[in-house]
Amino acid sequence: MDDRMFARLKPEELDELTEDGYRRRRAGDLARAFATPRTEPARTRGRRPYFLMAGTVAAGLAAAAAVVVVGGGDPAPRKAPAASAAPTPDKTPDRTVDARTFLLAAASTAKREPATSGRYWYVNERSLQKVHNVPSEYMRGIKALDAELKEKEKELAGDPEALAEVRERINRELGELKTVELPYLAYATETRETWRTMRAGGTSRLVSDQDVEVTFDSPQDEADWKAAGSPELADKKPQTMDDSFERILSIDNPSLTLQNISKLPTGKDALKRRLDELWKRSPNSARANKAGYLWQTGVDLMTAPIKPGTRSALFQVLADQPGITSQGPAKDALGRTGVALSASTTDAITLRLIIDPRTAELLEYDVVEKDVPLLRVALADMGFTDELGERPRG
């Protein structure tokens, strides 16, 4: 898409199309199966476990993503198949502790961790999302709107009021184009790997569209797709992009980057004040509730190289938030056993995490609306590496 079109339209309506926004704001129901990525067996950074009491492991970290849910679709959407609609309950004895206790234990675990460093921060994630449109048709519509906008800018150069109306209309049509639903339910999974440079001006890398798999909600949906001509619903060719732009940590916090998050406070009260300041300055504060912002910022920080003290303080801040529930043992999309925590926002969205009780690592985060899953992201690996293109060792 032409970058000039982004500049001429409302940025907040388009932010989910940027790399960071796309990662967090794509919405989708869960498919019948969540394919295993082609990368090596999933692992997480080793952490020393912290025990609350005899026989009960208590470690965890909390964060979740509050997404902008794309509207449209059936008036009464069908639920995703039970096999993957939610974290799979574990069959081990349920030694569930309350969420606050769990988070405070995580704070103790995080504080004991040694600080690490490296030239690149690496993240490997496996995600599943609902396919909302045929990509080729969508891009044709985008290009047509872009061409129309360019033409109108020339025609109405001397009439700013009329031009503003045209821009508003095209912006509305762009939004409608993004929310058009297919007449069948299809889902796509993919693996994405990122290497974020820790040096200003350095080269970062994104490798996306790996091991893409498209599935359908039912045999009828697949039949309807075939009747529509079997259009390609996902790009199945891996794409690699290198750039030297300074990447913001998240759209909600454009002032935070990988190069400056090490300056975040390491004490609970100081971090809470800092998060309150960031919330007031967030470009999305007028559209989102503060609870959703805090959980979204939490997942952004928990998947970034913050200091152990900052991680500990974040757990403590989250532990003070009302409405957090421990759902007990569960399996993530890659089959790893963890503990599920959830919190609800004021817009009927439930934010859910799965945490490794042995290591306090975030294994997965997902988003559910009225018991219908919208997003599932499994974090296969995170950590520092010194070579672009290489994965962390150990």
Side-chain angles (χ1 to χ4, degrees):
M1 187 189 307
D2 194 323
D3 289 339
R4 290 172 294 181
M5 188 175 185
F6 283 109
R8 290 192 291 268
L9 299 178
K10 295 179 180 179
E12 64 269 21
E13 298 299 330
L14 298 168
D15 58 13
E16 73 271 20
L17 297 182
T18 66
E19 176 194 338
D20 291 290
Y22 171 77
R23 176 178 66 84
R24 294 188 295 102
R25 299 185 183 279
R26 55 190 179 232
D29 299 343
L30 298 182
R32 181 174 297 98
F34 197 101
T36 302
R38 95 184 141 70
T39 54
E40 296 118 313
R43 66 184 191 276
T44 55
R45 292 167 288 167
R47 293 188 185 275
R48 295 184 295 278
Y50 176 75
F51 295 87
L52 270 180
M53 58 190 77
T56 302
V57 178
L61 55 87
V67 298
V68 175
V69 180
V70 179
D74 298 331
R78 287 168 283 176
K79 289 186 178 181
S84 60
T88 305
D90 191 31
K91 294 182 179 180
T92 57
D94 186 355
R95 300 192 180 104
T96 303
V97 296
D98 67 274
R100 176 177 170 78
T101 301
F102 196 82
L103 291 168
L104 292 177
S108 297
T109 300
K111 198 167 186 178
R112 296 171 177 173
E113 279 302 300
T116 58
S117 62
R119 295 179 60 193
Y120 301 94
W121 179 249
Y122 171 83
V123 176
N124 180 316
E125 61 184 20
R126 183 72 173 168
S127 66
L128 186 147
Q129 62 177 319
K130 178 181 176 181
V131 180
H132 288 279
N133 50 57
V134 176
S136 60
E137 295 177 359
Y138 175 74
M139 290 311 299
R140 278 198 297 271
I142 289 288
K143 291 178 180 178
L145 289 174
D146 188 24
E148 181 183 358
L149 182 59
K150 291 176 182 177
E151 182 179 348
K152 292 297 183 181
E153 283 182 331
K154 294 178 181 179
E155 293 179 5
L156 303 174
D159 191 345
E161 193 170 312
L163 182 57
E165 292 179 358
V166 169
R167 285 175 175 165
E168 183 177 354
R169 175 181 60 79
I170 290 180
N171 185 76
R172 184 174 61 254
E173 291 181 6
L174 177 63
E176 293 171 353
L177 181 63
K178 292 188 293 183
T179 58
V180 170
E181 293 287 338
L182 296 173
Y184 45 83
L185 288 178
Y187 307 87
T189 58
E190 71 157 325
T191 296
R192 291 164 59 89
E193 295 179 276
T194 56
W195 288 262
R196 296 289 183 82
T197 180
M198 298 301 295
R199 179 176 60 86
T203 298
S204 295
R205 176 170 297 172
L206 165 68
V207 182
S208 61
D209 298 324
Q210 299 181 77
D211 305 305
V212 175
E213 183 173 328
V214 175
T215 55
F216 296 88
D217 185 67
S218 70
Q220 184 60 53
D221 286 301
E222 185 170 9
D224 291 343
W225 167 72
K226 291 179 179 179
S230 303
E232 284 292 336
L233 300 180
D235 190 343
K236 298 183 179 181
K237 182 179 180 181
Q239 302 182 48
T240 300
M241 180 181 71
D242 289 358
D243 65 63
S244 58
F245 300 120
E246 183 178 32
R247 295 292 182 183
I248 62 175
L249 184 66
S250 66
I251 287 177
D252 275 344
N253 298 289
S255 65
L256 293 181
T257 67
L258 259 64
Q259 287 74 40
N260 65 27
I261 58 173
S262 62
K263 298 178 181 179
L264 287 173
T266 56
K268 171 189 169 183
D269 293 339
L271 181 62
K272 184 179 184 303
R273 287 193 297 270
R274 178 65 174 139
L275 291 175
D276 286 343
E277 294 172 0
L278 290 170
W279 158 249
K280 293 175 183 178
R281 292 160 47 188
S282 172
N284 293 319
S285 61
R287 296 189 298 159
N289 63 79
K290 190 173 183 180
Y293 162 83
L294 183 60
W295 280 77
Q296 178 160 321
T297 297
V299 80
D300 291 332
L301 293 176
M302 288 302 119
T303 55
I306 57 177
K307 290 180 178 179
T310 302
R311 187 181 298 269
S312 176
L314 179 60
F315 293 154
Q316 295 175 61
V317 171
L318 292 172
D320 286 345
Q321 302 306 303
I324 304 173
T325 303
S326 174
Q327 298 180 333
K331 287 187 181 296
D332 75 353
L334 299 179
R336 301 170 296 185
T337 299
V339 173
L341 296 180
S342 67
S344 297
T345 67
T346 58
D347 52 2
I349 297 294
T350 296
L351 313 172
R352 187 163 52 202
L353 320 172
I354 300 181
I355 300 153
D356 189 333
R358 301 167 302 130
T359 64
E361 282 289 345
L362 177 62
L363 300 179
E364 175 181 303
Y365 62 89
D366 45 67
V367 183
V368 179
E369 182 181 31
K370 299 178 181 178
D371 296 326
V372 178
L374 301 174
L375 173 70
R376 195 172 193 179
V377 178
L379 297 159
D381 197 11
M382 289 186 293
F384 280 111
T385 181
D386 287 325
E387 296 295 333
L388 187 63
E390 289 190 2
R391 298 167 185 151
R393 298 178 180 179

